[in-house]
Each structure stands twice: as structure tokens, then as C-alpha cells.
Amino acid sequence: MRRTLILTGASRGIGRALALELAQAGYDLVLNARSEGPLKEVAEEVRTLGARVEAVAGSAGQAPVAEELVKKAEGLGGFYGYIHNAGVLHPGPFLYEIAEGLFLEVLEANLIAGYQLARFAYPLLRKKGEGVAVYVGSGAAESNLPGIGAYAVAKAAEEHLARQLAVEVPEVPCFIYRPGVVETEMQRQAREAQGSAAPVLHRVFRGYKEEGLLLTPQEAAEALLRLLQRPRQYHGKIVSWRDA
């Protein structure tokens, strides 16, 4: 029987690459992103690869959106879990300077969406006694780089959420995947950041590019596909592309 996964942040970068890799690997997909146009384009690409696909635009941090994602996945059949890849960075200001609305947006995209997905998906996955929940984390969760404080706070909390789920529901493999330093829109935003911490961010993130350290989204996606072949092995752990 074919398996269906929910994938957030699917309209570009790692998410788009994951959608295509998962489709080629035989998964059916329910895709999510906030931007409807790019999301539909990815959904069409996935269909051409022979996968069944649904697309739900909006923030997965909003309960109606997360609930709809799970309903769509159940409707396709073979609901197997989710990969929470969506994220927002808003780089540049020091943490105490960032506008409240932007801070809350970062929390919603990274942390609250992870909670909402678990809220609606876990009762079903627990009944099945199988599946997988993957949270795309970041080394930022353990660092204090000026200018991405909101993101670091959100990622630290998101990774803790994943470990909590792993302890509470051991029958459903749940792990954190850190894809490494990948050439994405977030990287570009950091390289071009404005605000008090901009000089630090420019030095660090432009350095990644100048030194040739950036992975491609496809490389990050391919690594996660290999990890998904044995999710139980990584239950409750933080793994990276190097572990694949």
C-alpha cells in the first residue's frame, strides 16, 4: 500500500526538493506552504512524477489549516505522518528590537505549526501504531548568533517539542533532521539582512557562500530520504545529512 506524508514549507528550497524526491520514491503527498501560487506549481510537478497530491495553502500554525492537512492525508489513504519543514527567519534585528508581529510569525511557522500538526496527526498515528514525524531543525537551536535570535528560540523549542513527542508516544518514530548549511531563501535573507546585527550576519552567511560550504536543497532532501528508510533507528534523536 502506498504511504501518504504531509510536507510543510513545500513551495521552495528544501521543501520543494523533498516533495520531488518523495514523489519519486513512491509517496503520495499533502503539500503545504503559505504562498498558494508556488505551492500549486510544486503540486503539478509532483503529479507529473506519478504521485497523488493535495495542496493546502496557509500557515500550518493555524488549527484549521493543520486539521485540513491531516484530513486530506487521511482521504488519500495510507496516512503515514508528516515532515515539518516550514520556517521563517526574519534576520537582522537584535532580539529585543524585533517587532512583536515578526517574532510571533517566527514562532508560529517553526514551533506552533509543529504543535498543531502533532495535535491532529498523533491520535491517528497512535491508533495505527506506525508512521513517522520529522521536524526539520537547525544548529541555530544551540547557538547565539546575533540577528537570528527569534529563529534560534523557535528552533530550540521546536526540537524540544519533537523530543517530547518521542518520549510520550514511543510507538511512532519521531526525530529531528538538521539539513546542514543549505542554499535557500533563508540564506539569501541572512546575506542581505538589515538591522543592528547585519554586519555579523553578512560576515557569517556570505562566508558560507564564498567558501563553498553550501549544500543544495536536493542534497539535503536526498539525505532525509535515506534516513526515512530506517526512522526507528533515529527515534528521539537529532540527526544530520552526515548521518544518512
Side-chain angles (χ1 to χ4, degrees), residues 90 98-106:
H90 288 319
I98 192 168
E100 180 183 8
L102 297 181
F103 182 80
L104 294 176
E105 186 179 343
V106 173

Side-chain angles (χ1 to χ4, degrees), residues 3-7 18-19 21-23 25 27 29 80-84 131-136 173-177 220-234 239-240 243-244:
R3 290 171 168 175
T4 299
L5 284 173
I6 295 167
L7 173 63
L18 271 173
E21 290 294 327
L22 288 164
Y27 288 92
L29 297 169
Y80 188 64
Y82 59 87
I83 300 172
H84 178 39
V132 68
V134 180
Y135 286 84
V136 177
C174 177
F175 65 89
I176 298 148
Y177 173 58
E222 288 172 347
L224 179 52
L225 261 290
R226 292 192 292 272
L227 296 171
L228 283 173
Q229 294 174 11
R230 48 192 189 280
R232 174 62 61 185
Q233 181 176 335
Y234 307 112
V239 293
S240 79
D243 298 305

Side-chain angles (χ1 to χ4, degrees), residues 88-152:
V88 172
L89 185 62
H90 288 319
F94 290 147
L95 184 58
Y96 69 87
E97 296 175 328
I98 192 168
E100 180 183 8
L102 297 181
F103 182 80
L104 294 176
E105 186 179 343
V106 173
L107 288 181
E108 180 175 311
N110 295 282
L111 172 62
I112 305 303
Y115 154 73
Q116 296 287 17
L117 287 167
R119 178 185 172 201
F120 293 105
Y122 259 77
L124 298 173
L125 296 175
R126 197 169 191 180
K127 285 181 182 178
K128 295 173 185 286
E130 65 169 5
V132 68
V134 180
Y135 286 84
V136 177
S138 171
E142 297 180 35
S143 69
N144 296 101
L145 182 67
I148 58 168
Y151 180 77

Side-chain angles (χ1 to χ4, degrees), residues 49-80:
L49 297 172
R52 295 182 301 163
V53 60
E54 297 278 0
V56 179
S59 170
Q62 297 294 316
V65 175
E67 185 175 21
E68 183 68 10
L69 289 170
V70 174
K71 285 182 178 179
K72 294 281 190 186
E74 274 283 276
L76 283 179
F79 177 44
Y80 188 64

